[in-house]
Amino acid sequence: MDLRAWLVEATTGDVVTRVTLTRNSRATSMIGGGPLQAEVILPEYRSASGGRDAAAVETILSLVTGGRHTLLLTDGTDVVGEWLMWAHERDHDALTVPISGFEWEQYPQYRSNHQNFRYKNTDAGKIHRDALFDAFNTFQPGSAQMVVTPTPSFGKTMEMNTPVRTAYYSDILEDIDALGIAEWRVISTATFSGNVPQKVTRTVTYQKSVISSSHPDRLVKTADTRLGGNIIKFVRSHDYSRLIQSAFGWGAGKGGKQRFAMSQEFGWTARGYIATTRNFRFQGEYKNAQLQSKTDAALASGQDPWETTQATLDTRRMGTLPRIGGVHDVVVQPSWTYPSGGSWRMRVGQITWTYGSPFVGVEMEEVA
C-alpha cells in the first residue's frame, strides 16, 4: 500500500495539488462518516536556494483552510477515501500544520432545513434523498452540485412534518435511518492521469438493509504472526449491557397523551439470561406505526452482546485493500483466550488508515 494525499476543491472536485503527511496522520472511514487527524509537512516547499519558499507555503496554508477543500487519499489508481477539511492549527515553532475534518456523511449536521419537510405516505427513500440533496447541493458557491444524490426506493412509506429551520438535515436523516431500512455512504471516485487524480466525483450509495458485499481476502490470525496470517491483532469484547430484552419507544406528546411503543425478545431470558430493558426517545414522532418501526429497529440492534471486533491488518499480506461493507471469512488459530480457535463471517464497518504504514485498523461485526 502506497498512500498518497491530495488537496481537492470541495465544490468542483478538481484536484489542486499533492501534499506529504507525517507518518502519524490518520484518517478513518466508517458508516456515518469518520474523522481526519493529519499533519501536512511544510519544509517540503523550498526555493531553489534551499530556503523557505514563502509563497508556496502560504498557498498550502490557504488550501488547508477549513470549508473549501478536501483531503483525498489514494493507493495507485484506487481512491481510499475523502475527508472535508474543517480546521487547522498554526504553531509558530512547528514544521507541520495539523488539519482535522470528517467524511462527507457528517456535513449535513452543519446545515438546517431551508424548506418545510412535509410528507404524507411518501417513500422514505425520496425524503432521505431530498434531505441529502438540500444539504449538499443547495445555496453552495456557484450553485455547485458537490454530491450526486440518486433517489432510492426504500419500499416503506412514512410521514414527516418538520417546519423550515427547525432541524438540521442530520436530524432528518437520523429520523429516517432510525427505521433501520437501509445504510448509505458517500463514495468518492476519481479520474486519473497515470497515478495522478484529476477530478473527484462523489455519489451517495444505498444498500438495504446494510452496506455489504463479499471481499475476496480471507483474514487469518495465527499463533505466531511471523509464520503467516494477515491479522496482527484480534480482540473481541462481550458486553451484556448491549443486550435488550424489552425496548420502549417514547414519541411525541406529554403525560397520558404521549405516544408509546414496545418491542420484546424473550429468547435470552428463556436461555437463563437476566432481563434487561431500554428506553428510547423519538420525541418528534407523531405517527404510531413509525414509532413502532423505530422501536422494533432499536430492539433488533440490541441482540448481539459482542461488541465490534477490533483488528489490525497487514495489507502487505492482502490481495485487495479492506473496504467499508466488505464481508470476510475470518479465522483465528487456537490460543489461551480462544482455546478452540474460531471462524466467523464478519463485515467491516470502520477502517483507520495511517499514512506511511502498511497496517490498517478495522472494526468488524459478525454477520450471518
Side-chain angles (χ1 to χ4, degrees), residues 166-235:
T166 61
Y168 291 101
Y169 284 110
S170 56
D171 299 326
I172 295 171
L173 295 168
E174 288 173 6
D175 191 34
I176 303 170
D177 291 341
L179 294 170
I181 304 171
E183 286 184 340
W184 62 281
R185 289 269 297 157
V186 177
I187 303 297
S188 298
T189 57
T191 56
F192 285 82
S193 176
N195 284 343
V196 179
Q198 303 295 305
K199 190 176 185 64
V200 177
T201 300
R202 305 116 184 174
T203 305
V204 176
T205 300
Y206 294 91
Q207 194 169 349
K208 298 188 294 186
S209 60
V210 296
I211 294 174
S212 175
S213 61
S214 181
H215 193 285
D217 281 89
R218 186 168 177 254
L219 301 181
V220 179
K221 177 69 174 75
T222 60
D224 186 344
T225 56
R226 294 173 298 179
L227 302 179
N230 47 24
I231 301 179
I232 306 303
K233 187 176 180 61
F234 183 88
V235 178

Side-chain angles (χ1 to χ4, degrees), residues 6-63:
W6 313 83
L7 302 183
V8 181
E9 289 278 358
T11 54
T12 65
D14 294 329
V15 178
V16 180
T17 188
R18 182 183 173 186
V19 292
T20 302
L21 308 180
T22 59
R23 292 181 67 87
N24 62 343
S25 296
R26 293 191 173 188
T28 298
S29 291
M30 60 187 292
I31 303 295
L36 167 71
Q37 294 289 337
E39 294 185 36
V40 177
I41 299 175
L42 298 177
E44 295 275 318
Y45 305 96
R46 296 184 179 275
S47 63
S49 63
R52 182 188 308 113
D53 187 336
V57 173
E58 287 288 357
T59 297
I60 293 300
L61 292 174
S62 69
L63 291 174

Side-chain angles (χ1 to χ4, degrees), residues 48-230:
S49 63
R52 182 188 308 113
D53 187 336
V57 173
E58 287 288 357
T59 297
I60 293 300
L61 292 174
S62 69
L63 291 174
V64 299
T65 300
R68 292 183 57 207
H69 295 88
T70 69
L71 184 83
L72 181 77
L73 289 182
T74 62
D75 175 42
T77 56
D78 293 326
V79 172
V80 171
E82 185 184 19
W83 292 260
L84 274 164
M85 292 184 291
W86 216 242
H88 77 278
E89 175 184 292
R90 300 194 193 186
D91 181 340
H92 185 274
D93 298 322
L95 300 176
T96 63
V97 54
I99 57 176
S100 60
F102 43 79
E103 290 184 295
W104 281 99
E105 289 88 340
Q106 291 193 30
Y107 176 62
Q109 68 182 294
Y110 292 96
R111 300 208 60 197
S112 61
N113 62 311
H114 61 78
Q115 61 178 316
N116 294 319
F117 263 66
R118 293 195 175 109
Y119 298 86
K120 188 175 180 64
N121 295 326
T122 303
D123 191 293
K126 172 175 169 43
I127 306 174
H128 203 278
R129 183 269 178 185
D130 289 351
L132 285 174
F133 180 86
D134 282 2
F136 289 133
N137 298 325
T138 58
F139 299 104
Q140 299 292 357
S143 300
Q145 302 293 297
M146 298 191 299
V147 179
V148 179
T149 53
T151 302
S153 174
F154 284 175
K156 185 177 182 63
T157 60
M158 67 179 298
E159 296 182 7
M160 183 174 290
N161 186 6
T162 305
V164 63
R165 301 301 182 191
T166 61
Y168 291 101
Y169 284 110
S170 56
D171 299 326
I172 295 171
L173 295 168
E174 288 173 6
D175 191 34
I176 303 170
D177 291 341
L179 294 170
I181 304 171
E183 286 184 340
W184 62 281
R185 289 269 297 157
V186 177
I187 303 297
S188 298
T189 57
T191 56
F192 285 82
S193 176
N195 284 343
V196 179
Q198 303 295 305
K199 190 176 185 64
V200 177
T201 300
R202 305 116 184 174
T203 305
V204 176
T205 300
Y206 294 91
Q207 194 169 349
K208 298 188 294 186
S209 60
V210 296
I211 294 174
S212 175
S213 61
S214 181
H215 193 285
D217 281 89
R218 186 168 177 254
L219 301 181
V220 179
K221 177 69 174 75
T222 60
D224 186 344
T225 56
R226 294 173 298 179
L227 302 179
N230 47 24

